[in-house]
Every structure is written in C-alpha cells, then in structure tokens.
Amino acid sequence: MIKLIKEILLLVFVFLNTNFIFSQESLLRQGNEEYEKYEYINARNTYLKVIEKGYRSREVFEKIGNCYYFNSEFEEASKWYKELFMYYKSEVPPEYYFRYAQTLKSIENYYEANYYMYEFVKLKPEDGRAILFLNKLDYLENDENQLDGYSIKNLSMNSSFTDFGTAYYGRYVIFSSSRKTKSSKQNIHEWNKESYLDLYIAEYEMDTGEFVGIGKWNDNFNSNLHESTPIFTKDQQTVYFTRNDQDGGNYETIETGKIRTDKLKIFRSHMTIQGEWSKPEELPFNSDEYSVAHPALSNDEKKLYFSSDMPGGEGESDIYEIHINADGSFGEPTNLGPLINTEGKETFPFISANNNLYFSSDGHVGFGGLDIFVIPSFVKEEQNRILNMGKPVNSNGDDFAFIINDKTRKGYFSSNRNNGKGGDDIYALTDISAWKKLEPKIEKEDVSEIKKGDDLAKKLKLNPIYFDLDKSFIRPDAAIELDKIIDVMNEYPNMKIEIGSHTDSRALMWYNRRLSDRRARSTRMYLIRNGISGERITSKGYGESVLLNHCGNDVKCSEEEHQLNRRSEFIVLNK
C-alpha cells in the first residue's frame, strides 16, 4: 500500500511538473512571438509571467529589458539589465553594455554608467560611440560642449498620451498626438496600447508659446495609420510628412512565411489651384524593407534630409540627404557620414534659417536617451563641430524633434522626461541670449574709474547673477545682466576678467566646488557665445568658501538668504 501511494505521488509530481514546464515553454513561445512582432507591451507582460513561474535565462532578461528600452522606459529597463549582468555578465554581448549605460544615465547614476561605458570600450574599441566617449570623458562638466542658454516650459495643452513633433505652418503649428477625441473612432495600436498618431493643428501664442484652438488637421492626411513630423516649404504649398505603411501592424506573408514589419515612409502633398491639398503620395526612395522618416528641408529647399535604417548605414538609424530636382523628382540618398552618424540612433533632423543642423542622437555623448545636438553653419563637406544642446533642453530621457525660429529665437522640442504629462510632451523654448535688454546700455563714464581688481558687477551696479538651486544654466534675468558685461568688454577690448562663481552651503563641500566650477564655465561660455574672446576670460569656482552671510553648514536660513550666496563675480585683471 505504501509503495502504491509513493508511485501515485510520483506520477502526480511528474504530471504537475510536466504541465509546469509545458506552461513555461508555451508562455515563452508566446512572448517571443509578440517580441518578434514588436508588441513590446504584450511581450514584456508575458515574460513577466514566465519569470514569476521561476524561469530564468539570459534571453528572457535581454528581451524583457529590450521591451522597456525600445519603448524608452529606461528606468524599468535598467532593472532588468541589472539582473542580466548579475547572472550572465560573462555571456552578455557588447551592445548591452552600451544599453545598460544609457539606462543608468536615465536614473542619473552617471558613475556606474561610465563604468559600463569603459567596459563597452574594452569590448568594442573601434565603435564610434566608444571613441566619442573617450574623447569626452568630462561630458558632465565640460560646458564648452553644451549650449545651455535656453529656458523651457511644458505646454498646458499636453495630454496624458503622446504629443510630439511640431512644425511651423504660418501662424499655426502642426503636431502629432495619440490623444483621445470624441469625434472619431480610436484604433488602438498593439505596440504601445495607445491610439494611432494623427496630425493636429493649433494657433500658437507668440509670447507664451502655448497652443490654442486645437483640432485635427486636414482629413487628407489623417488615416487609420500613424502620421507625424511634417515639414512645409516656405510658400506653404508643399508638405512632407511621415506615415507608417499598410495597416500599421505585422503579419506573416504566405509567400515567404516571414514576419513582415510595416515601415515608416515619407509622403508628399501639394496645394492645388482650388486651394486644397492633393492626395499624399509616397516618395520613390521609400522601401518595404526599411524605414524612411522625419523629413527636413534645406534653406534653399533643394535638399531633403531624413532619418533611415536603410542598409549600408553607420548604425541603427542615420541621417541622409537627397537632392530635389527642379521637376520634383529626386536624386539618390547620401549618408551624412561617420562624423554625424554613429552605430546608435541619429534621427529627427531640422535645418534652421541660419543653416544650423539640429538632430537627436543616443550615439553621441549625452545625458541619457536621445539628446539634441546642433552643428552651427552646417556644411556637409566640412568637418563640423557637434555641440550638445545641454540642459535644460536635454535631460536623462529622450529629447527630440527640435525646431526654432531664428528671428524670434523661440521654438519647440519634445521629450519623455520625468514629471511630464504623458508619454511624450511638447515643450516651448526660448533662447535667452536673445532676450532684449530691459535697461539702457552702460555708458563710458560708468566704467572710466574701474581699476584692476575691481568687481565689474559692483561697479556697474548690476543685479546679482543668480542661479537656481543645484543648477548651472544661465537664467533669463542673469542674461540681461551679462549683456551689460559684454557691452563693457566690447567698449574696452583689452579688458580681461576672472569669473568667480559661488554656491550656498547646502551640499557637501566637494560637490559645491564642482557645482561652482560648472557655473563659472557656464557664465564664461555665455560671454564667448556672444562675441567675447575666450582668451580674455578665466573662470574659477569657489564653492561655499566665500559666503556673504551667516548661512554656513547646519545654520537655518531662508531661501532668500541662501540665494544671496549663489552668485557670480567679475574681477578685472587688467583694463
């Protein structure tokens, strides 16, 4: 009897264990199928069930991390990449060192991110991203590679869904959104569980940048597919935009038995003599085998720029240019080359009226995710200096779709940074270096008595050059005062100064010294960008060592009292 009971229990155990293993394998197959179809939300939920059942493998940790990474949910991705490296570090391919570093940046763990980038360099020293990293090891401190002279704000019109990709259209803007509307049926996309993107139109307020009178744009452009990132010719008679092919999903073809992923394509439409937009037609260099997206026009409108993952590129997606012939036909796409394109993603190009090329990249050294970069006075044939737009435009998330009006120095960009309203939000930006002076210029007699060692700020009776708590970017009120310093230095071309920046006491001493160094360099770079030779300016950070009041360590003070210590001074070295 006992023997029979043991045999029965054994059979039950084998049965349950077989079912358990079968259930795991079934879920794993389901997750892999969803993953191959780019249904990352479905796939990650399935993989989570597999893990909950006790299954663990390198493949599962890689793929669940990727599900979050490819949807730009970097904080969650970092948790699973951490598990991957904890259990399978010796087996992990080099690309995951780069991805893990990117996700660590997203949670501002830059120290550990740099460690994994060093490991990536060891494994792939020839990779362009590794070379760029080694050339910019001080990327967090080096303000000479950052243009942080902008103020930004999250627009009140942003929804809890995806809003991104603005384009100027006369006094209007066109943007993309997956927001829900009452007037139309919403098709849900399996990749992100949101409605398909449509193009919306709104009037923008010049002063605030806010959108008013929002509504869906022309029915000619909005379909049951994704539409995004339009660009208009100057006469507003032609528009290029991005649309995904076919039904926006994936399916298995009878002929090949392979999973087909429908790609992004660029379409073009013209204004007819009746004042209506023509039916959009896809451009001839689109393909069912790769994506072509996010168009931009050169100033003479003879070239189209776009992003593509077509074969033969440098990385995951590259920026290309193509000639637009007089008859509207096109030449052959040309890759902008390895100075701009990396093994990572380069995307969302934009050419401003001043011929500055803006684009987003996760291959060039930045703060995490996609960062926005600029090449001033872009000429493809020349080696151009690529500048990170710096904070606050860039963040530890994805920052992209930058546009700017070079006359007003106002524009927009998109970001999925923390504390936003939805998946992606649209932000208004203002170049504060273009702010108009609110007070008269400094007259000659105001500086005639200045001597070596004097503080220009005191002599000119400037308002203090204050900084926000724990920040180093130039505020609009500070820009007004710095413009007066520039006036004086232009009046006295032999004058040299030292910029001394200071902090309050509310952090560790070593941290405050580094913060004040960043503030001094940020101030110096503002003067240089506005025409003052760098040879005439030195900068030094003093941390909390020279406080103006009693607010030292552990002393209770008001915010206003602490603010007095967050300042910059301008000591004349010679006149």
Side-chain angles (χ1 to χ4, degrees):
M1 187 66 179
I2 294 176
K3 182 180 179 181
L4 179 61
I5 293 173
K6 287 182 177 180
E7 289 177 351
I8 292 172
L9 289 175
L10 180 60
L11 288 172
V12 170
F13 174 78
V14 170
F15 175 76
L16 293 175
N17 193 51
T18 301
N19 281 346
F20 180 73
I21 293 172
F22 177 79
S23 175
Q24 283 184 332
E25 292 177 347
S26 177
L27 282 173
L28 189 59
R29 282 196 302 272
Q30 177 185 333
N32 289 339
E33 289 175 1
E34 292 163 340
Y35 184 89
E36 292 301 320
K37 294 179 181 178
Y38 299 87
E39 296 176 6
Y40 293 128
I41 293 179
N42 291 338
R44 80 187 187 201
N45 291 337
T46 304
Y47 289 137
L48 286 172
K49 293 176 183 177
V50 173
I51 292 171
E52 287 173 2
K53 291 179 177 293
Y55 185 84
R56 177 188 297 163
S57 73
R58 194 194 89 188
E59 178 191 23
V60 167
F61 286 142
E62 285 179 356
K63 287 184 174 179
I64 193 171
N66 291 342
C67 286
Y68 287 106
Y69 185 84
F70 295 147
N71 271 342
S72 297
E73 298 177 76
F74 299 126
E75 185 173 352
E76 288 299 316
S78 70
K79 297 176 182 177
W80 293 105
Y81 288 150
K82 182 178 181 179
E83 296 287 320
L84 173 66
F85 279 91
M86 183 182 298
Y87 294 106
Y88 303 99
K89 185 174 182 180
S90 62
E91 305 172 36
V92 175
E95 188 63 23
Y96 286 89
Y97 285 81
F98 177 81
R99 290 179 188 172
Y100 189 29
Q102 289 290 95
T103 64
L104 288 167
K105 287 181 181 180
S106 75
I107 56 177
E108 298 186 332
N109 187 348
Y110 292 104
Y111 178 82
E112 194 171 356
N114 287 347
Y115 166 79
Y116 281 94
M117 278 303 299
Y118 278 118
E119 295 297 304
F120 178 70
V121 170
K122 293 177 185 177
L123 293 168
K124 293 193 71 174
E126 76 287 353
D127 193 292
R129 295 167 295 178
I131 296 169
L132 287 168
F133 172 73
L134 290 178
N135 288 336
K136 293 185 178 180
L137 294 176
D138 60 346
Y139 67 96
L140 293 175
E141 309 292 336
N142 189 357
D143 290 302
E144 292 186 5
N145 290 319
Q146 299 171 22
L147 304 178
D148 55 1
Y150 292 86
S151 63
I152 69 170
K153 75 169 184 175
N154 188 304
L155 295 181
S156 60
M157 52 67 61
N158 284 309
S159 69
S160 59
F161 298 93
T162 294
D163 303 284
F164 79 96
T166 47
Y168 287 116
Y169 180 46
R171 71 178 188 272
Y172 299 96
V173 288
I174 309 294
F175 66 97
S176 302
S177 179
S178 64
R179 63 184 57 203
K180 292 183 177 180
T181 61
K182 296 179 180 179
S183 60
S184 62
K185 183 179 178 181
Q186 304 299 123
N187 296 316
I188 303 301
H189 194 274
E190 282 300 316
W191 292 8
N192 61 7
K193 299 301 183 183
E194 288 191 5
S195 301
Y196 280 77
L197 292 165
D198 277 335
L199 294 174
Y200 286 76
I201 187 170
E203 192 169 355
Y204 65 94
E205 296 177 342
M206 182 63 71
D207 293 336
T208 66
E210 292 286 353
F211 295 175
V212 294
I214 297 172
K216 280 197 175 184
W217 195 40
N218 195 291
D219 288 341
N220 248 10
F221 301 98
N222 289 325
S223 65
N224 61 342
L225 310 176
H226 285 302
E227 286 88 19
S228 69
T229 54
I231 187 74
F232 294 85
T233 53
K234 294 173 184 176
D235 63 7
Q236 299 176 28
Q237 298 299 297
T238 302
V239 60
Y240 300 84
F241 68 99
T242 306
R243 173 182 284 169
N244 70 300
D245 188 27
Q246 300 296 326
D247 62 356
N250 304 282
Y251 56 88
E252 187 173 316
T253 62
I254 297 173
E255 294 83 359
T256 65
K258 295 180 180 178
I259 293 294
R260 168 176 169 173
T261 304
D262 292 309
K263 302 299 183 180
L264 298 176
K265 296 183 176 181
I266 296 177
F267 286 72
R268 178 172 62 180
S269 175
H270 300 286
M271 184 69 73
T272 67
I273 58 175
Q274 290 80 23
E276 298 179 353
W277 288 106
S278 64
K279 181 181 178 181
E281 296 179 348
E282 65 171 271
L283 300 188
F285 50 90
N286 290 329
S287 173
D288 292 335
E289 304 302 319
Y290 51 81
S291 286
V292 175
H294 313 314
L297 286 166
S298 61
N299 279 309
D300 61 9
E301 300 182 349
K302 294 180 180 179
K303 294 178 183 177
L304 187 74
Y305 293 84
F306 60 90
S307 178
S308 177
D309 59 352
M310 67 177 61
E314 302 291 334
E316 295 179 47
S317 64
D318 288 1
I319 298 174
Y320 290 78
E321 71 175 16
I322 191 169
H323 284 272
I324 306 173
N325 300 319
D327 62 357
S329 62
F330 295 89
E332 293 296 322
T334 303
N335 191 295
L336 291 190
L339 290 176
I340 294 174
N341 294 316
T342 71
E343 288 84 345
K345 289 180 286 189
E346 278 69 47
T347 186
F348 293 99
F350 174 76
I351 305 280
S352 74
N354 290 344
N355 207 44
N356 300 327
L357 169 61
Y358 298 88
F359 66 96
S360 290
S361 171
D362 66 3
H364 291 274
V365 181
F367 300 99
L370 291 170
D371 270 19
I372 299 168
F373 295 83
V374 60
I375 303 176
S377 303
F378 171 67
V379 179
K380 178 178 177 292
E381 290 74 20
E382 298 179 1
Q383 292 193 6
N384 300 284
R385 185 184 181 199
I386 298 175
L387 301 175
N388 188 301
M389 292 294 292
K391 296 181 178 181
V393 171
N394 286 323
S395 69
N396 56 350
D398 279 337
D399 307 293
F400 57 99
F402 183 99
I403 67 169
I404 193 166
N405 182 321
D406 279 332
K407 290 184 179 180
T408 64
R409 300 305 297 161
K410 292 177 179 289
Y412 299 95
F413 70 99
S414 305
S415 179
N416 69 347
R417 65 188 60 193
N418 294 334
N419 303 317
K421 297 176 182 177
D424 297 319
D425 284 358
I426 298 172
Y427 290 76
L429 65 94
T430 301
D431 180 353
I432 58 177
S433 66
W435 277 48
K436 304 298 183 184
K437 297 177 177 62
L438 301 182
E439 299 178 24
K441 289 187 176 182
I442 303 298
E443 301 296 334
K444 264 191 175 182
E445 53 268 24
D446 293 333
V447 294
S448 59
E449 301 300 321
I450 290 178
K451 303 181 295 294
K452 177 181 178 181
D454 284 340
D455 180 359
L456 273 180
K458 289 182 179 179
K459 286 290 184 178
L460 300 178
K461 299 178 181 179
L462 301 185
N463 293 317
I465 310 297
Y466 287 143
F467 294 90
D468 287 343
L469 176 63
D470 199 33
K471 303 298 182 184
S472 62
F473 64 85
I474 302 299
R475 297 184 345 188
D477 57 335
I480 294 170
E481 305 305 315
L482 289 177
D483 286 344
K484 298 172 185 177
I485 298 287
I486 291 168
D487 286 342
V488 172
M489 295 191 73
N490 284 331
E491 192 68 40
Y492 293 88
N494 294 321
M495 179 182 287
K496 295 184 178 181
I497 64 171
E498 179 195 273
I499 300 169
S501 289
H502 305 264
T503 70
D504 61 36
S505 61
R506 291 181 293 176
L508 295 174
M509 187 173 294
W510 66 267
Y511 179 85
N512 281 335
R513 176 60 62 88
R514 294 174 64 183
L515 176 61
S516 64
D517 281 337
R518 294 200 302 273
R519 288 175 172 172
R521 288 199 299 270
S522 179
T523 305
R524 179 175 181 267
M525 283 308 302
Y526 181 91
L527 301 184
I528 291 173
R529 292 200 305 272
N530 284 276
I532 304 301
S533 169
E535 296 179 354
R536 299 173 60 192
I537 315 166
T538 58
S539 61
K540 183 177 181 180
Y542 291 89
E544 61 183 83
S545 63
V546 188
L547 301 176
L548 294 180
N549 52 29
H550 66 288
C551 297
N553 293 329
D554 302 321
V555 177
K556 187 175 182 180
C557 289
S558 66
E559 176 58 33
E560 290 74 17
E561 289 174 312
H562 282 301
Q563 174 72 90
L564 291 173
N565 294 311
R566 300 196 300 267
R567 68 197 190 280
S568 287
E569 298 169 337
F570 305 85
I571 306 303
V572 177
L573 301 180
N574 72 274
K575 188 176 175 183

